[in-house]
Amino acid sequence: MNPLKPQTKTLKHTPKVCLKKMDQIKHTYVHVNGLKLHVAEIGSDSLPVVIFLHGFPEIWYTWRHQMIAVANAGFRAIAPDYRGYGLSDIPAEPEKASFTDLVKDTASILDSLAISKVFVIGKDFGSMVGYTFALFFPERVAGIATLGMPFMPPGSFEDSLALPEGFYMRRWQEVGRAEADFARFDAKTIVRNVYILFSKSEIPIANENQEIMDLVDPSTPLPSWFTEDDLAVYGDLYQKSGFQTPLQVPYRSLADTSAYPKQGLKVEAPALLIMGEEDYLFKFPGMEGYLKSGEVKKYVPNLEIVYLPKGCHFVHEQFPDQVNQLILGYLNGNKN
Protein backbone atom coordinates (compact mmCIF):
# COMPACT_ATOMS: atom_id res chain seq x y z
CA MET A 1 0.00 0.00 0.00
CA ASN A 2 1.47 3.36 -1.04
CA PRO A 3 1.43 5.76 1.95
CA LEU A 4 1.73 8.74 -0.38
CA LYS A 5 -1.77 8.17 -1.68
CA PRO A 6 -4.73 8.83 0.61
CA GLN A 7 -6.47 5.72 1.87
CA THR A 8 -10.09 5.38 2.84
CA LYS A 9 -10.17 3.34 6.01
CA THR A 10 -11.40 3.24 9.57
CA LEU A 11 -8.66 4.20 11.97
CA LYS A 12 -7.58 1.27 14.10
CA HIS A 13 -6.07 3.44 16.80
CA THR A 14 -7.55 6.33 18.67
CA PRO A 15 -5.57 8.25 21.27
CA LYS A 16 -5.63 6.21 24.46
CA VAL A 17 -6.24 7.81 27.83
CA CYS A 18 -2.53 7.80 28.56
CA LEU A 19 -2.84 11.27 30.02
CA LYS A 20 -5.33 12.58 32.51
CA LYS A 21 -8.32 14.18 30.75
CA MET A 22 -7.22 12.85 27.34
CA ASP A 23 -10.70 11.43 26.92
CA GLN A 24 -12.17 14.89 27.51
CA ILE A 25 -10.69 16.27 24.31
CA LYS A 26 -13.56 16.81 21.87
CA HIS A 27 -13.23 16.22 18.15
CA THR A 28 -15.31 18.32 15.79
CA TYR A 29 -15.25 19.38 12.17
CA VAL A 30 -15.69 22.79 10.62
CA HIS A 31 -16.56 23.37 6.98
CA VAL A 32 -14.37 26.18 5.68
CA ASN A 33 -12.95 27.12 2.30
CA GLY A 34 -14.54 24.10 0.63
CA LEU A 35 -13.03 21.56 3.03
CA LYS A 36 -14.00 19.76 6.23
CA LEU A 37 -11.24 20.43 8.74
CA HIS A 38 -10.75 18.55 11.99
CA VAL A 39 -10.40 20.47 15.26
CA ALA A 40 -9.51 18.96 18.64
CA GLU A 41 -10.70 21.03 21.60
CA ILE A 42 -10.70 21.04 25.39
CA GLY A 43 -11.64 23.67 27.96
CA SER A 44 -14.53 26.02 28.61
CA ASP A 45 -16.14 28.05 25.86
CA SER A 46 -15.12 31.28 27.55
CA LEU A 47 -12.09 33.32 26.68
CA PRO A 48 -9.12 33.33 26.56
CA VAL A 49 -8.50 30.89 23.72
CA VAL A 50 -5.25 29.24 22.68
CA ILE A 51 -4.87 27.82 19.16
CA PHE A 52 -2.11 25.27 18.63
CA LEU A 53 -0.55 24.92 15.15
CA HIS A 54 1.46 21.76 14.49
CA GLY A 55 4.53 21.10 12.38
CA PHE A 56 5.72 18.04 10.42
CA PRO A 57 5.51 15.08 10.88
CA GLU A 58 2.93 16.10 13.42
CA ILE A 59 -0.85 16.38 13.77
CA TRP A 60 -3.12 17.83 16.45
CA TYR A 61 -2.04 15.00 18.78
CA THR A 62 1.44 16.48 19.14
CA TRP A 63 -0.14 19.06 21.48
CA ARG A 64 -1.79 16.55 23.83
CA HIS A 65 0.32 17.55 26.85
CA GLN A 66 -0.08 21.30 26.28
CA MET A 67 -3.81 21.22 25.53
CA ILE A 68 -4.60 19.49 28.82
CA ALA A 69 -2.30 21.80 30.79
CA VAL A 70 -3.79 25.03 29.45
CA ALA A 71 -7.34 23.69 29.86
CA ASN A 72 -6.57 22.86 33.49
CA ALA A 73 -5.39 26.45 33.91
CA GLY A 74 -8.68 27.90 32.65
CA PHE A 75 -7.98 28.40 28.97
CA ARG A 76 -9.80 27.00 25.98
CA ALA A 77 -7.44 24.98 23.79
CA ILE A 78 -8.07 24.20 20.13
CA ALA A 79 -5.75 22.30 17.81
CA PRO A 80 -6.67 21.85 14.15
CA ASP A 81 -5.22 19.45 11.64
CA TYR A 82 -4.16 21.43 8.56
CA ARG A 83 -5.78 20.64 5.24
CA GLY A 84 -4.24 17.42 3.98
CA TYR A 85 -3.09 16.39 7.45
CA GLY A 86 -4.60 14.06 10.04
CA LEU A 87 -8.40 13.89 10.00
CA SER A 88 -8.87 16.98 7.83
CA ASP A 89 -9.89 16.78 4.20
CA ILE A 90 -7.22 16.58 1.54
CA PRO A 91 -7.42 19.44 -0.97
CA ALA A 92 -8.41 18.48 -4.50
CA GLU A 93 -4.96 19.46 -5.76
CA PRO A 94 -2.53 18.91 -2.89
CA GLU A 95 0.39 19.85 -5.12
CA LYS A 96 -0.99 23.40 -5.21
CA ALA A 97 -1.49 23.84 -1.45
CA SER A 98 0.27 26.86 0.05
CA PHE A 99 1.07 28.64 3.28
CA THR A 100 -1.57 31.18 2.28
CA ASP A 101 -4.17 28.39 2.38
CA LEU A 102 -3.16 27.46 5.93
CA VAL A 103 -3.30 31.06 7.12
CA LYS A 104 -6.74 31.53 5.56
CA ASP A 105 -7.92 28.24 7.05
CA THR A 106 -6.76 29.37 10.49
CA ALA A 107 -8.75 32.59 10.22
CA SER A 108 -11.78 30.72 8.90
CA ILE A 109 -11.67 28.14 11.69
CA LEU A 110 -11.68 30.93 14.28
CA ASP A 111 -14.55 32.65 12.48
CA SER A 112 -16.52 29.40 12.37
CA LEU A 113 -16.03 28.96 16.11
CA ALA A 114 -16.91 32.62 16.79
CA ILE A 115 -13.47 33.29 18.30
CA SER A 116 -12.36 36.88 17.87
CA LYS A 117 -8.95 36.80 19.58
CA VAL A 118 -6.43 34.09 20.45
CA PHE A 119 -3.05 33.24 21.76
CA VAL A 120 -1.21 31.46 18.95
CA ILE A 121 1.22 28.65 19.71
CA GLY A 122 3.11 27.13 16.78
CA LYS A 123 5.69 24.37 16.43
CA ASP A 124 8.20 24.03 13.58
CA PHE A 125 6.60 25.37 10.40
CA GLY A 126 3.45 26.01 12.44
CA SER A 127 5.35 29.05 13.69
CA MET A 128 5.46 30.34 10.11
CA VAL A 129 1.70 29.89 9.81
CA GLY A 130 1.18 31.55 13.19
CA TYR A 131 3.43 34.52 12.54
CA THR A 132 1.96 35.13 9.10
CA PHE A 133 -1.49 35.03 10.65
CA ALA A 134 -0.29 37.58 13.23
CA LEU A 135 1.01 39.87 10.47
CA PHE A 136 -2.32 39.87 8.64
CA PHE A 137 -4.59 39.85 11.69
CA PRO A 138 -2.71 41.65 14.49
CA GLU A 139 -5.96 42.64 16.17
CA ARG A 140 -6.85 38.96 16.61
CA VAL A 141 -3.60 37.91 18.30
CA ALA A 142 -3.20 38.34 22.05
CA GLY A 143 0.30 36.87 21.82
CA ILE A 144 2.32 34.27 19.99
CA ALA A 145 4.61 31.53 21.28
CA THR A 146 6.64 29.24 19.06
CA LEU A 147 8.74 26.12 19.58
CA GLY A 148 11.60 24.92 17.43
CA MET A 149 11.47 27.82 15.00
CA PRO A 150 11.54 31.62 15.33
CA PHE A 151 9.98 34.21 13.06
CA MET A 152 11.59 33.74 9.64
CA PRO A 153 11.43 36.62 7.13
CA PRO A 154 10.89 35.90 3.41
CA GLY A 155 13.85 34.23 1.74
CA SER A 156 15.29 32.97 5.02
CA PHE A 157 15.75 29.43 3.81
CA GLU A 158 17.84 30.39 0.78
CA ASP A 159 20.99 30.02 2.91
CA SER A 160 20.11 26.39 3.47
CA LEU A 161 20.73 25.77 -0.23
CA ALA A 162 24.42 25.99 0.66
CA LEU A 163 24.02 22.69 2.46
CA PRO A 164 24.85 19.50 0.52
CA GLU A 165 22.49 18.07 -2.06
CA GLY A 166 21.51 15.35 0.41
CA PHE A 167 20.06 17.88 2.89
CA TYR A 168 16.61 16.53 3.74
CA MET A 169 14.74 19.72 2.80
CA ARG A 170 16.37 19.85 -0.63
CA ARG A 171 15.53 16.20 -1.20
CA TRP A 172 11.90 16.67 -0.18
CA GLN A 173 11.58 19.71 -2.43
CA GLU A 174 12.52 17.52 -5.39
CA VAL A 175 9.29 16.23 -6.89
CA GLY A 176 9.45 12.46 -7.27
CA ARG A 177 12.52 11.87 -5.11
CA ALA A 178 10.68 11.92 -1.78
CA GLU A 179 7.73 10.07 -3.28
CA ALA A 180 9.96 7.20 -4.37
CA ASP A 181 11.78 7.19 -1.03
CA PHE A 182 8.61 7.18 1.07
CA ALA A 183 6.78 4.65 -1.11
CA ARG A 184 9.12 1.90 0.12
CA PHE A 185 7.61 2.09 3.62
CA ASP A 186 4.29 2.27 5.39
CA ALA A 187 3.21 5.53 6.99
CA LYS A 188 4.07 4.40 10.50
CA THR A 189 7.67 3.65 9.52
CA ILE A 190 8.03 7.00 7.81
CA VAL A 191 6.85 8.86 10.91
CA ARG A 192 9.09 6.70 13.11
CA ASN A 193 12.11 7.51 10.95
CA VAL A 194 11.42 11.24 10.85
CA TYR A 195 10.92 11.42 14.62
CA ILE A 196 14.24 9.65 15.15
CA LEU A 197 16.05 11.88 12.64
CA PHE A 198 14.57 15.14 13.90
CA SER A 199 15.30 14.25 17.53
CA LYS A 200 19.03 14.36 16.85
CA SER A 201 21.25 17.42 17.12
CA GLU A 202 22.64 17.03 13.58
CA ILE A 203 20.89 18.05 10.37
CA PRO A 204 19.72 14.98 8.39
CA ILE A 205 21.90 14.84 5.28
CA ALA A 206 22.08 11.80 3.01
CA ASN A 207 24.98 10.75 0.84
CA GLU A 208 24.69 11.06 -2.94
CA ASN A 209 23.52 7.48 -3.44
CA GLN A 210 21.47 7.29 -0.25
CA GLU A 211 17.88 8.28 0.52
CA ILE A 212 16.69 10.16 3.61
CA MET A 213 14.77 7.17 4.95
CA ASP A 214 17.98 5.12 4.77
CA LEU A 215 19.58 7.36 7.39
CA VAL A 216 17.72 5.44 10.10
CA ASP A 217 18.73 1.92 11.00
CA PRO A 218 15.52 -0.13 11.42
CA SER A 219 16.73 -1.32 14.82
CA THR A 220 17.02 2.24 16.20
CA PRO A 221 14.55 2.69 19.08
CA LEU A 222 12.09 5.53 19.32
CA PRO A 223 12.99 8.40 21.63
CA SER A 224 12.15 7.42 25.21
CA TRP A 225 9.43 10.08 25.46
CA PHE A 226 7.59 8.90 22.31
CA THR A 227 5.76 5.63 22.78
CA GLU A 228 4.61 2.94 20.38
CA ASP A 229 1.05 3.99 21.23
CA ASP A 230 1.88 7.55 20.20
CA LEU A 231 3.40 6.28 16.97
CA ALA A 232 0.29 4.20 16.27
CA VAL A 233 -1.87 7.34 16.38
CA TYR A 234 0.44 9.18 13.98
CA GLY A 235 0.81 6.19 11.71
CA ASP A 236 -2.92 5.64 11.29
CA LEU A 237 -3.60 9.30 10.59
CA TYR A 238 -0.80 9.64 8.03
CA GLN A 239 -1.98 6.42 6.43
CA LYS A 240 -5.29 8.21 5.96
CA SER A 241 -3.90 11.51 4.69
CA GLY A 242 -0.81 10.40 2.82
CA PHE A 243 2.21 12.67 2.51
CA GLN A 244 1.49 14.66 -0.63
CA THR A 245 0.13 17.76 1.11
CA PRO A 246 2.85 17.68 3.82
CA LEU A 247 5.54 17.52 1.13
CA GLN A 248 3.96 20.51 -0.59
CA VAL A 249 3.49 22.52 2.60
CA PRO A 250 5.96 23.20 4.04
CA TYR A 251 8.81 21.87 1.91
CA ARG A 252 7.83 22.77 -1.64
CA SER A 253 6.31 26.09 -0.60
CA LEU A 254 9.26 27.60 1.27
CA ALA A 255 10.38 29.76 -1.67
CA ASP A 256 6.89 31.22 -2.11
CA THR A 257 6.86 34.64 -0.45
CA SER A 258 3.33 35.53 -1.53
CA ALA A 259 1.95 34.51 1.86
CA TYR A 260 3.70 37.45 3.52
CA PRO A 261 2.39 41.03 3.58
CA LYS A 262 4.11 43.35 1.10
CA GLN A 263 5.30 45.57 3.93
CA GLY A 264 5.21 45.85 7.70
CA LEU A 265 7.05 42.66 8.65
CA LYS A 266 6.84 43.31 12.35
CA VAL A 267 4.85 41.49 15.02
CA GLU A 268 4.23 43.72 18.04
CA ALA A 269 2.35 41.16 20.14
CA PRO A 270 4.12 39.70 23.18
CA ALA A 271 6.06 36.68 21.97
CA LEU A 272 7.89 33.68 23.38
CA LEU A 273 10.32 31.32 21.65
CA ILE A 274 11.20 28.00 23.29
CA MET A 275 14.21 26.20 21.82
CA GLY A 276 15.88 23.02 22.90
CA GLU A 277 19.62 23.59 23.13
CA GLU A 278 20.22 20.44 21.08
CA ASP A 279 17.70 21.27 18.36
CA TYR A 280 19.23 20.51 14.96
CA LEU A 281 17.80 23.81 13.71
CA PHE A 282 20.78 25.56 15.33
CA LYS A 283 22.98 23.92 12.66
CA PHE A 284 21.13 25.70 9.85
CA PRO A 285 23.42 28.34 8.29
CA GLY A 286 23.04 31.65 10.15
CA MET A 287 20.36 30.42 12.57
CA GLU A 288 22.31 30.62 15.82
CA GLY A 289 23.58 34.10 14.98
CA TYR A 290 20.10 35.25 13.98
CA LEU A 291 18.77 34.25 17.38
CA LYS A 292 21.62 35.08 19.70
CA SER A 293 22.58 38.41 18.09
CA GLY A 294 19.07 39.71 18.59
CA GLU A 295 18.45 40.19 14.87
CA VAL A 296 15.16 38.29 15.23
CA LYS A 297 13.91 41.15 17.43
CA LYS A 298 13.88 43.48 14.41
CA TYR A 299 10.77 41.55 13.41
CA VAL A 300 9.46 40.55 16.85
CA PRO A 301 10.54 43.29 19.27
CA ASN A 302 8.64 41.93 22.29
CA LEU A 303 10.25 38.50 22.11
CA GLU A 304 11.57 36.43 24.99
CA ILE A 305 13.75 33.41 24.13
CA VAL A 306 14.14 30.44 26.46
CA TYR A 307 16.63 27.65 25.81
CA LEU A 308 16.01 24.26 27.42
CA PRO A 309 19.14 22.19 28.18
CA LYS A 310 19.24 18.83 26.37
CA GLY A 311 16.07 19.76 24.49
CA CYS A 312 15.61 18.50 20.94
CA HIS A 313 13.34 19.67 18.12
CA PHE A 314 10.33 18.02 19.82
CA VAL A 315 10.95 19.71 23.15
CA HIS A 316 7.22 20.00 23.93
CA GLU A 317 6.88 16.20 23.85
CA GLN A 318 10.31 15.53 25.33
CA PHE A 319 9.94 17.84 28.35
CA PRO A 320 6.20 18.57 28.56
CA ASP A 321 6.20 19.70 32.19
CA GLN A 322 8.91 22.31 31.61
CA VAL A 323 7.33 23.53 28.38
CA ASN A 324 3.87 23.69 29.97
CA GLN A 325 5.24 25.75 32.83
CA LEU A 326 6.81 28.22 30.39
CA ILE A 327 3.67 28.44 28.26
CA LEU A 328 1.38 28.94 31.26
CA GLY A 329 3.66 31.61 32.69
CA TYR A 330 3.58 33.38 29.33
CA LEU A 331 -0.20 33.07 28.93
CA ASN A 332 -1.01 34.19 32.46
CA GLY A 333 1.39 37.09 32.16
CA ASN A 334 -0.25 38.41 29.00
CA LYS A 335 -3.97 37.71 29.33
CA ASN A 336 -6.22 40.68 29.89
Side-chain angles (χ1 to χ4, degrees):
M1 185 176 290
N2 188 342
L4 286 161
K5 294 184 178 179
Q7 308 294 326
T8 301
K9 58 176 285 187
T10 300
L11 299 183
K12 294 179 293 183
H13 297 276
T14 55
K16 295 183 179 180
V17 188
C18 55
L19 299 161
K20 290 181 180 179
K21 294 195 175 182
M22 193 71 184
D23 55 343
Q24 294 182 24
I25 294 177
K26 298 184 299 182
H27 297 272
T28 58
Y29 292 87
V30 295
H31 293 262
V32 297
N33 304 323
L35 297 171
K36 185 176 70 171
L37 302 183
H38 168 250
V39 179
E41 181 174 351
I42 186 172
S44 67
D45 289 341
S46 61
L47 296 177
V49 179
V50 184
I51 185 169
F52 291 91
L53 302 173
H54 64 78
F56 177 81
E58 297 156 333
I59 47 177
W60 75 268
Y61 182 79
T62 194
W63 295 114
R64 57 200 179 280
H65 303 286
Q66 287 69 46
M67 292 180 72
I68 292 169
V70 302
N72 286 343
F75 295 85
R76 178 183 178 189
I78 63 174
D81 286 329
Y82 300 127
R83 58 173 60 200
Y85 281 78
L87 293 170
S88 290
D89 280 354
I90 299 164
E93 298 178 289
E95 71 279 4
K96 294 182 180 179
S98 68
F99 277 101
T100 299
D101 291 331
L102 304 192
V103 174
K104 289 180 178 177
D105 288 346
T106 300
S108 297
I109 288 169
L110 296 177
D111 290 342
S112 178
L113 297 175
I115 297 170
S116 59
K117 196 166 188 175
V118 292
F119 285 99
V120 177
I121 300 183
K123 159 69 172 45
D124 188 67
F125 86 90
S127 71
M128 299 170 67
V129 178
Y131 267 120
T132 307
F133 176 80
L135 289 169
F136 278 106
F137 304 99
E139 73 285 354
R140 303 190 70 169
V141 176
I144 180 167
T146 64
L147 298 87
M149 188 176 291
F151 176 89
M152 302 297 293
S156 298
F157 289 97
E158 291 179 2
D159 288 344
S160 67
L161 296 178
L163 291 166
E165 177 275 337
F167 172 45
Y168 79 96
M169 285 174 58
R170 292 183 66 179
R171 286 287 182 85
W172 291 350
Q173 288 168 351
E174 184 180 342
V175 177
R177 185 76 179 254
E179 283 84 345
D181 185 12
F182 285 15
R184 297 178 297 150
F185 305 94
D186 61 18
K188 183 176 176 180
T189 301
I190 294 168
V191 174
R192 172 191 286 272
N193 288 351
V194 176
Y195 253 84
I196 290 170
L197 286 174
F198 285 11
S199 296
K200 297 180 178 181
S201 60
E202 298 297 325
I203 300 173
I205 298 176
N207 296 324
E208 182 178 356
N209 297 317
Q210 183 183 39
E211 300 303 328
I212 299 300
M213 290 293 104
D214 296 328
L215 291 173
V216 180
D217 187 304
S219 65
T220 303
L222 285 168
S224 61
W225 39 265
F226 192 74
T227 69
E228 289 290 342
D229 284 342
D230 295 330
L231 179 61
V233 176
Y234 281 78
D236 273 354
L237 291 176
Y238 273 98
Q239 189 66 43
K240 172 198 171 290
S241 68
F243 290 89
Q244 288 198 319
T245 310
L247 285 171
Q248 175 62 25
V249 187
Y251 300 103
R252 295 171 184 170
S253 303
L254 289 172
D256 181 9
T257 61
S258 62
Y260 289 89
K262 300 303 179 185
Q263 56 187 3
L265 288 178
K266 184 176 285 190
V267 176
E268 299 286 357
L272 173 68
L273 170 64
I274 302 171
M275 293 289 298
E277 288 186 349
E278 297 180 8
D279 193 323
Y280 73 91
L281 197 79
F282 281 118
K283 302 292 177 64
F284 277 44
M287 180 61 71
E288 187 168 6
Y290 174 67
L291 292 177
K292 296 190 174 178
S293 70
E295 183 182 356
V296 63
K297 293 191 177 183
K298 292 195 306 185
Y299 305 101
V300 192
N302 298 310
L303 175 67
E304 177 187 4
I305 304 177
V306 178
Y307 300 96
L308 289 185
K310 299 184 180 180
C312 72
H313 192 58
F314 301 102
V315 69
H316 63 303
E317 294 181 282
Q318 181 187 16
F319 298 127
D321 291 343
Q322 294 179 54
V323 169
N324 292 348
Q325 184 178 5
L326 290 169
I327 287 175
L328 289 173
Y330 162 76
L331 293 175
N332 287 320
N334 290 286
K335 66 181 181 181
N336 294 328

